[in-house]
Each structure stands twice: as C-alpha cells, then as structure tokens.
Amino acid sequence: MMDSNLVNTTIRFVKKQLQHAEGGHDWFHIERVYKLALRIAEKEADVDVLVVQLAALLHDIADSKFHDGDETIGPRLAREFLTVQQLAEDQIEQVIAIIENISFKGGNQTQTYFSKELAVVQDADRLDAIGAIGIARTFNFGGFKNRALYDPEIQPNLQLTKEEYKRSTAPTVNHFYEKLLLLKELMHTETARAIAAERHQFMELFLSRFYAEWEGEA
C-alpha cells in the first residue's frame, strides 16, 4: 500500500476508534500530535517518517486510563490493524515499541527503549500536554474524573510510582507539578524544546493568575 493511502486508512481507523473518547484524548488530540510530530520530524535526520506518522496516529487508540489500566489493548489493536495493512514487520515493531514506551507514567520510570522516531512522537505528545491546550486538557480530564480544581491542603507528590500515578485522585492543579511543569526538561529534540519553553512559560503565568484569583487578589 502506498504510504499516503496507508496514512489515510489509518486516520479513518483512528477516528472510528475514538468517536466516543474523552475530549482530551479524542481524535483532535491525535491530529495535533500528528501535526507536531511531522513538524519535528522535518528537522531531524534519518527518521522514518512513515513510522512517525503511524505511531502518532495510533499512540492513543486505547489509552490505559480508560481501560482499567490495561496497557496491552492499544498495542494489540495497532498490531492487528498494521498487520492487515501489510506494513513491513520491522516497521510494525517500531510503531508498537513507540506506543508501548510513549507514556509519561509518573516520570520516575527508566525508559529502556529508544529510537529517533520515539523521540519525535514522544516530544509531540508531550507538547500537547502543556501550554494552553495542555491546561484545557488537564481541567477537562479533571472534570471527567470529578476531581477538585485545587485544595491547598493536598500537596503535589513528585515521587509518584507508576501505579500511584495511575491511581491518583489528587486535585487537578497538582497535576501541573506532578507532570506538566516537568515536561519541558524531558524534550528530546531542539524543535520541541523551543516550543516547550514558550508553552511552559504560559502555564506558569496561568498558575500565578489562578492563585491570585483563588485568594481574591485579582
């Protein structure tokens, strides 16, 4: 199958899979990550662009947060789909490895797999978690989980294990400290680092305003 046909077929598949998804993890999240991944890949040498495209499109087709923590569903569905499309086996393995390793998972895990393609897609996914979109997604998910906006008595936990991160019910603002504000320093590529710096600054300004309004000072 020609690359463009495969990408279009993948887009249709992903849209169908995510037609009832939560607003922060829906098709539009995928589309943003896809566009960012292509933008980053343009600046990187020796990157398999098709692998980047497919991994960006398929990385969240079954996010474990919405499947009782099961991290095997997404990679399995992606493998089944790509096998039917007759993608080369080595490229399938690369895409699956990216899907299995892209998640933040609390940020205290040792990443054992690495590739240039993973760096590109992971940076793109992390960029969509910060800045204005990141703020919107964070509060959307907090509302979806019926979490408090903020509680001064509940401090962020910067040493969350993977399981604690997955089970957390902390107020939404805590998530900024437990993940979002950490992502700027975790970018792999120069392109992503430049974008992340500006988005990070926007989040800091937002939090400053949030606390001022919380105290009735603004």
Side-chain angles (χ1 to χ4, degrees):
M1 181 181 290
M2 295 290 291
D3 289 1
S4 60
N5 290 340
L6 175 54
V7 169
N8 289 332
T9 299
T10 305
I11 288 172
R12 290 193 294 271
F13 170 73
V14 173
K15 284 183 174 181
K16 183 176 181 180
Q17 289 292 124
L18 297 179
Q19 58 185 331
H20 301 301
E22 177 265 336
H25 298 79
D26 58 3
W27 161 249
F28 295 111
H29 162 62
I30 300 297
E31 185 177 42
R32 292 190 301 270
V33 172
Y34 177 73
K35 291 176 179 177
L36 281 166
L38 286 179
R39 177 178 172 185
I40 296 168
E42 287 178 358
K43 304 292 185 180
E44 299 298 309
D46 302 319
V47 170
D48 187 328
V49 175
L50 180 59
V51 168
V52 166
Q53 289 176 296
L54 296 175
L57 289 170
L58 294 166
H59 81 278
D60 247 356
I61 54 171
D63 191 305
S64 63
K65 289 191 289 294
F66 306 102
H67 293 84
D68 297 320
D70 190 338
E71 298 177 5
T72 67
I73 299 174
R76 175 175 57 77
L77 290 175
R79 183 183 294 279
E80 291 172 356
F81 170 77
L82 293 174
T83 299
V84 170
Q85 307 310 314
Q86 299 183 322
L87 184 67
E89 185 60 31
D90 64 318
Q91 290 179 306
I92 292 178
E93 292 302 327
Q94 290 181 70
V95 172
I96 300 307
I98 291 170
I99 295 171
E100 291 175 337
N101 288 276
I102 194 172
S103 180
F104 180 74
K105 299 177 182 176
N108 294 309
Q109 311 300 309
T110 300
Q111 189 165 302
T112 58
Y113 173 82
F114 187 81
S115 71
K116 288 186 175 181
E117 292 77 14
L118 170 59
V120 169
V121 181
Q122 192 171 59
D123 278 1
D125 188 44
R126 287 174 172 175
L127 284 172
D128 200 56
I130 61 178
I133 291 290
I135 292 169
R137 291 181 66 208
T138 299
F139 283 100
N140 189 80
F141 186 73
F144 180 80
K145 289 292 189 178
N146 198 31
R147 293 178 181 174
L149 294 178
Y150 174 56
D151 185 337
E153 300 299 318
I154 303 176
Q155 296 299 305
N157 182 357
L158 301 183
Q159 301 300 321
L160 288 170
T161 65
K162 175 181 173 181
E163 291 306 314
E164 287 173 335
Y165 178 76
K166 289 167 67 173
R167 295 195 306 267
S168 176
T169 59
T172 296
V173 166
N174 287 30
H175 192 60
F176 283 80
Y177 300 93
E178 294 168 352
K179 178 181 178 180
L180 308 192
L181 293 171
L182 306 177
L183 294 179
K184 178 171 72 76
E185 301 302 324
L186 297 178
M187 299 296 167
H188 304 289
T189 64
E190 289 294 334
T191 302
R193 281 192 283 271
I195 299 170
E198 185 175 351
R199 295 191 181 195
H200 182 91
Q201 184 179 39
F202 184 85
M203 291 191 299
E204 290 182 323
L205 289 170
F206 168 81
L207 288 170
S208 177
R209 178 76 186 192
F210 180 93
Y211 294 131
E213 292 187 10
W214 186 271
E215 297 298 334
E217 297 172 358

